[in-house]
Structures are given as structure tokens and as C-alpha cells.
Amino acid sequence: MNMRTSRVSPALMTIAALALFFALHARAAEAQGQTHIEPLGVFESHGDVGTVLHAGAARYDAGAGTYTVTGSGENMWFGTDDFHFVWKKASGDVAISADIAFEGTQGNNHRKAVLMIRQSLDGNSPAVDVARHGDGLTSLQFRLAPGDDDHEVQSNLVAPERVRLEKRGDFFYAFVAGKDGKLHPSGASIKLPMNGEFYVGIGVCAHDKNATETARFLRVKIEALHAAGDMKPILWSTLETVPIASTDRRVAYVAQAHFEAPNWSHDGSFFLFNQNGGIYKLAVGGDTPEHISTGAQVQCNNDHGISPDGTMIAFSDSTQLKRSQVYTLPITGGTPKQITPNAPSYWHGWSPDGLTLAFTGQRGDNFDIYTIPVAGGEEKRLTTAPGLDDGPEYSPDGAWIYFNSERTGHMQIWRMHPDGGSQEQVIMSETNDWFPHISPDGKSMVYVSFEKGVTGHPPNKDVTLNVITLADKKVKVLAHLFGGQGTMNVPSWSPDSTKVAFVSYQLLIDEPRD
């Protein structure tokens, strides 16, 4: 029999090799969570982001309108995110809303189900998300630059059923559903530019690299947001606290109102702030401010504070002369006592022994630092430099008065002895630094920084809160926020020197949200 050796042509071998290459490449891509997957509802695709030991999954029940997402991953924090992400590409202004519920009650308390907008599918990508944790904690989390550690603003509402994330321009806002079931501003916002196209979607992280967790997302809605047009934005104010150690901010109170300048009581149980010309008291953990009667003085501004023994308030009011004067008042309210005969005068500091007030006064064409006895009497001028000196506050040991001054050409932090001697600059920076506040233990100082070129301390500006360790002059950023005037004009440290209180602001369009 005539035998012939079977041969395959080079062309067929090339095709087979290419087929094998693409098959292996697809498997590798799938293992990395980046393969193309058929669309799920409103989303284009899904896959694992970062490093996971157990592949995630997603399915869509069109009849129920439910997305069920399973994810592994060690965390969505620090410099990278490890989780399963269901996404679509978007650009411009956009919002995503959903009801979120975890399956089961076991698992890590910090497992997360999120609504997210991120620049890329890289694990270390800049990103913003509204995260529902397993224990009910709900927060706005954000990474400002590739590989940066995450930070957050925690909501004061636990386990809201429905949440929403909005991107308007460079600002992101978190919304949560209250008892009425309607979405309201959570008070959490952050500025983070996103360039060109980005990814918007839902995701789950187990917060345990050896486990998987599952969450259901219902009534998911992704919508393009239209320009505000003629609609005037509405101001919302948020009283927040921030721990010095972690810098993880927490909302204490949020309202569609303009309030300013929180003081923290010496026993740590309440805050004071001013709103609509009045002084208000808010219990820590409370949601209903209580008005403190200031008698005939009904035009109180954002310069107010609590006496060292906790029994009195010093405040500034312009009712009588239409220019600010300094008064004292029992902390429970009553009839104010006028302290400064001259105007304008703006209170800022109380000496540790409770006997002297420090204030800023305009006399002639210049603003300077003055002191005056609490019992009343003659005011004493401490500074004479041209330009504005402002924000005087005593150190806890009474050895110094810290203040801000523009005598160098832009606003910087200074200090002097209580008699006005030994005036010296504390730090040197290119920003405009205002309102130094010394911690009760005397070790640290917080202050507000406006960007270079900003004149005065106007409202509605991008600012940072900074803390400096006085011993070594090391500066740490506590928060980037939208604020300025009213954010932290007055002493606002917690009594244990671990946190500070401040106010941030949001300008939001009033439109239907569901």
C-alpha cells in the first residue's frame, strides 16, 4: 500500500497558533477581571479590580430590577481597592442611586457595598464612592490621586436604605434616605477633578481576602445631570468633626441653613454655633439645635466662645451700633453684659484665668489686637503693625497670644506675650493662614488656609484645615473642603485634644431625587 505522511500547511499552523494565543489571552484577561462580559441592565461590563483571591460575580434579574454582586478583596482603602465592580463608562455630570442590602448577617463588619465613580479600572485609581459597611456605617470615601491613601466623611445616619452619589463639575456629593424615605444631603462632599471618560457603577468588597460577600442593589438609577441654568443653588451647612490621628471626618449635623463657627463645650457634651443672628446649642449626637436667649442682642456673628470654667459665653453682636461689640452672657442664656464700649470689636480669646478677653478692634483705619478685663474697663492695644491683625487666642498656659497678621504681605500665623511683647512669626507658608486655635493640652495648633492670592477670609472657597505640632513645627492636612468664612473662626477643639469641629458648606441644586 502506498503510504503518505500527513502534513499540515504553514497557514493552518499559523491560524491554530493565533487561536490558541487569543484563547489563552482571554483566559488571562478574565482572571484579571478585565474581559468583556455581556451587559447587565444599565451597565456595560463587570470584573474584579485590584488583587482578589476569589473571583467575583454579578447577575441581573430584569423582572425584579435587582443586581446581585459578589466580591472578595482585602479592602477598599489605603492606596488601592480590591473588589468586584459592575460599571459603565460616562462623562460630564452624572448621578447614581440605589437601595443597598447585604445578604446574610455574618462577615466582616467593614465589608462594603458601594456606589462608585472612578477614573480607571486600576486598583490605585482616583475614586469617590458612597460605601455602606456591614455594620451600617455609611460614608463618602475618596482617593484624590493615584496610590494615595483613602479618606472619608462619615454620615451621621446609620444604614440608610437608599443612597446616591452625584458628580457636578469637580465636586462630589453624597445623599442618604432619612426616615421619610426621601434622599437628603448627607453633608459629605469632596472636590476631585475627573478627566474625560470615567467609570460609574456598583461594587462589593469582602474586607477579607479569604472570603466573599454578596449585596443586592435595587432601583438602580444612573442619570446625566443637566446644567443648573437659571436655578439658584441652595446653601447647606454641615457641622463636622475630624480626629487628628486618622483625619476621617464625621458629620455631626447638617441643615439647609447658614450656620457658622462651632465651639466644643469643655465637658465634650455639646456644640455652640451661630445662625441667623442667634446662638444655638446642639448636643453631641443630637439633631435639634436649641436657641440660647441673648436678650436684645439679636445680630450675633461668628465670634463667640466659652469661658474657662464653662459658665459663660463671650460673643460679638452688632444690634446696638450696627457695628460689632463684645458681650458676655451666662451659658444658659439671659441678659448680656456689654464689655467693649468701642466698635467694631470682635471677640476671639479668653485668658486661662478667666479674667481677660482678647479681641480684634478697628480704631481709625487699622485693625489691631486688644485686651480688656472681663469685668469691663480700659482696652489695651497690643499690636501696631500696618494692616490687619486678627484672631487672637491665648495658649492654655497663658504665656502666649496666637494671632494671624498680614504684616508680611499675606496672612500668616504669629504669637506674642499677653502684654504684646516678643511678637514672632510661628510658621511661614505661601497660603493665607487664619484663626490659630491651640489644643487644650498645648501641644498642637489648628488653622484654616486659603489659597495663595485670596484676599481676606471670604465664604465659598476651597480651603484646608491644617494642624501643626508646636514642638517640631510639622504640619499635617486634616481636611480639604469648601468653606472659608464661618468654617472655624473660634476655638473648636474637643476637651481631650483629639478632635476639632468645623463647618463645611455645599451649594446644591434643588431638583427631584429618588
Side-chain angles (χ1 to χ4, degrees), residues 108-270:
N108 194 296
N109 279 343
H110 294 292
R111 63 193 186 276
K112 300 177 182 73
V114 303
L115 308 182
M116 172 176 278
I117 296 175
R118 63 189 299 119
Q119 187 70 73
S120 75
L121 296 178
D122 297 331
N124 67 350
S125 170
V128 183
D129 64 76
V130 177
R132 269 283 314 275
H133 294 64
D135 60 2
L137 173 67
T138 302
S139 59
L140 182 73
Q141 300 183 160
F142 49 92
R143 180 180 298 112
L144 297 178
D148 276 4
D149 282 351
D150 272 55
H151 296 282
E152 69 178 346
V153 184
Q154 300 173 357
S155 170
N156 61 351
L157 188 64
V158 177
E161 181 176 303
R162 189 166 181 78
V163 294
R164 176 180 174 93
L165 177 63
E166 282 189 11
K167 175 191 176 295
R168 285 193 176 275
D170 292 339
F171 285 90
F172 291 80
Y173 304 95
F175 295 78
V176 293
K179 296 177 182 178
D180 60 2
K182 297 180 180 180
L183 287 165
H184 302 278
S186 71
S189 63
I190 190 65
K191 184 178 183 181
L192 172 57
M194 288 273 184
N195 301 315
E197 281 192 327
F198 47 81
Y199 296 81
V200 56
I202 57 180
V204 171
C205 172
H207 200 82
D208 182 344
K209 64 182 180 180
N210 297 312
T212 60
E213 293 288 344
T214 300
R216 296 187 304 276
F217 298 80
L218 295 79
R219 296 196 296 145
V220 175
K221 183 178 181 181
I222 298 177
E223 56 190 307
L225 299 178
H226 302 293
D230 295 332
M231 290 187 293
K232 185 177 180 180
I234 295 174
L235 178 70
W236 288 74
S237 304
T238 305
L239 197 165
E240 300 185 51
T241 61
V242 57
I244 303 304
S246 71
T247 73
D248 294 332
R249 296 151 58 180
R250 183 170 181 81
V251 171
Y253 173 66
V254 59
Q256 184 182 320
H258 182 209
F259 59 78
E260 303 176 297
N263 304 120
W264 207 320
S265 68
H266 299 328
D267 65 1
S269 66
F270 65 87

Side-chain angles (χ1 to χ4, degrees), residues 434-508:
W434 286 77
F435 302 130
H437 305 304
I438 311 302
S439 58
D441 62 13
K443 295 180 179 180
S444 302
M445 177 183 73
V446 296
Y447 58 98
V448 182
S449 290
F450 290 79
E451 294 177 349
K452 184 179 180 180
V454 174
T455 302
H457 55 107
N460 303 334
K461 294 293 183 181
D462 296 328
V463 299
T464 58
L465 298 188
N466 303 304
V467 62
I468 181 172
T469 306
L470 294 175
D472 58 17
K473 301 295 178 68
K474 290 184 177 179
V475 177
K476 175 181 178 180
V477 175
L478 294 177
H480 298 270
L481 59 103
F482 186 68
Q485 172 71 281
T487 287
M488 197 172 67
N489 298 53
V490 294
S492 57
W493 280 91
S494 63
D496 61 3
S497 299
T498 64
K499 302 176 184 178
V500 292
F502 62 95
V503 177
S504 62
Y505 298 96
Q506 300 84 43
L507 293 172
L508 300 174

Side-chain angles (χ1 to χ4, degrees), residues 360-388:
T360 300
Q362 183 184 19
R363 307 294 182 256
D365 296 330
N366 212 51
F367 282 91
D368 286 296
I369 307 300
Y370 294 79
T371 57
I372 193 169
V374 172
E378 294 294 323
E379 63 185 30
K380 180 181 179 181
R381 184 178 181 181
L382 302 184
T383 63
T384 58
L388 175 62

